[in-house]
Amino acid sequence: MEKTYSVVFYSKTVIEPVKKLKELLRSKIDWYNSCNSEAHITICEFTIEESELDSIKQKLSKIADTFTPFQVYLNHFDSFPNAGAFFIGVNEDSKNNLVPIMKKIHETLKSLKLKKSDNPHMSIGRRLTPENLKIASDLFTTINFQFECNEIVIRELEPHKQFFVIDSFPFGSNPEPEFVQGSLF
């Protein structure tokens, strides 16, 4: 059976604070897309046969072992007006740490038809009307969250259209050894 999965950066430390932001926005504009989604930074999404999942998990575990933990700083609100997305953005250093990992994961899973994210951000709301985007940007003006990015997780989309974490892959700080051409003499 085909199922949809997403690979994300995820930290329990920001789930509650972001949930409170989403609840505040919901109190102003009622239900909206992603109002019930737990805080995360999307890397990619894909649909595969459930039988293929173990192979994907092995690849994610192997690549995660090569990454080293670092701090992520979420320091501003922003939006993608064309998509109706309102989100918390990361600072430049965090972006410089997150993007190479995102690209390596995209490369690792390139055999799949991926919906990729190349711009690390933590969504507050999606598919918001221009009016609701304005309400969100008036409501939220400053932010200063941070978390230790020390794992990636894989989530499964359940029938009620919510993702839930099914496995995590800790960063092992074991960079892959560079292949060096040796000489016999």
Side-chain angles (χ1 to χ4, degrees):
M1 185 172 124
E2 278 199 340
K3 291 193 172 181
T4 299
Y5 301 93
S6 68
V7 179
V8 303
F9 297 108
Y10 181 89
S11 172
K12 288 182 172 50
T13 60
V14 293
I15 289 174
E16 274 309 307
V18 172
K19 184 178 179 182
K20 285 182 170 55
L21 297 175
K22 290 181 175 211
E23 287 170 351
L24 179 57
L25 182 58
R26 189 171 178 176
S27 75
K28 304 292 183 197
I29 67 172
D30 208 10
W31 184 92
Y32 60 89
N33 279 286
S34 78
C35 67
N36 295 319
S37 175
E38 281 191 329
H40 65 278
I41 296 174
T42 300
I43 299 168
C44 62
E45 191 178 300
F46 52 90
T47 301
I48 57 169
E49 289 293 329
E50 210 172 350
S51 60
E52 298 174 70
L53 185 59
D54 281 343
S55 147
I56 300 301
K57 285 182 176 184
Q58 287 172 357
K59 289 178 181 181
L60 291 173
S61 177
K62 186 176 180 195
I63 191 80
D65 190 52
T66 69
F67 302 138
T68 300
F70 57 93
Q71 287 296 119
V72 171
Y73 298 93
L74 300 147
N75 67 350
H76 64 280
F77 291 104
D78 205 346
S79 66
F80 300 128
N82 292 342
F86 186 77
F87 61 88
I88 307 169
V90 300
N91 73 359
E92 203 59 35
D93 284 347
S94 298
K95 185 174 184 172
N96 291 339
N97 285 322
L98 291 166
V99 169
I101 292 173
M102 295 166 84
K103 287 184 176 176
K104 281 185 181 169
I105 292 168
H106 296 158
E107 180 65 22
T108 299
L109 301 178
K110 70 181 175 196
S111 64
L112 305 174
K113 188 176 179 210
L114 297 178
K115 267 203 255 177
K116 299 185 231 179
S117 173
D118 298 317
N119 186 349
H121 64 280
M122 193 170 282
S123 293
I124 298 294
R126 293 180 304 117
R127 296 190 203 127
L128 299 174
T129 64
E131 298 78 30
N132 286 345
L133 269 178
K134 169 106 174 75
I135 290 168
S137 61
D138 289 346
L139 194 59
F140 304 116
T141 55
T142 59
I143 185 125
N144 188 11
F145 288 170
Q146 71 182 59
F147 67 92
E148 183 181 31
C149 185
N150 58 11
E151 67 179 359
I152 53 175
V153 304
I154 187 166
R155 307 178 312 156
E156 182 180 312
L157 185 64
E158 49 117 62
H160 302 297
K161 299 294 181 197
Q162 286 298 320
F163 280 100
F164 62 95
V165 174
I166 57 171
D167 212 342
S168 62
F169 308 95
F171 292 177
S173 302
N174 293 311
E176 293 174 286
E178 291 296 320
F179 179 75
V180 177
Q181 182 69 47
S183 169
L184 294 175
F185 304 103

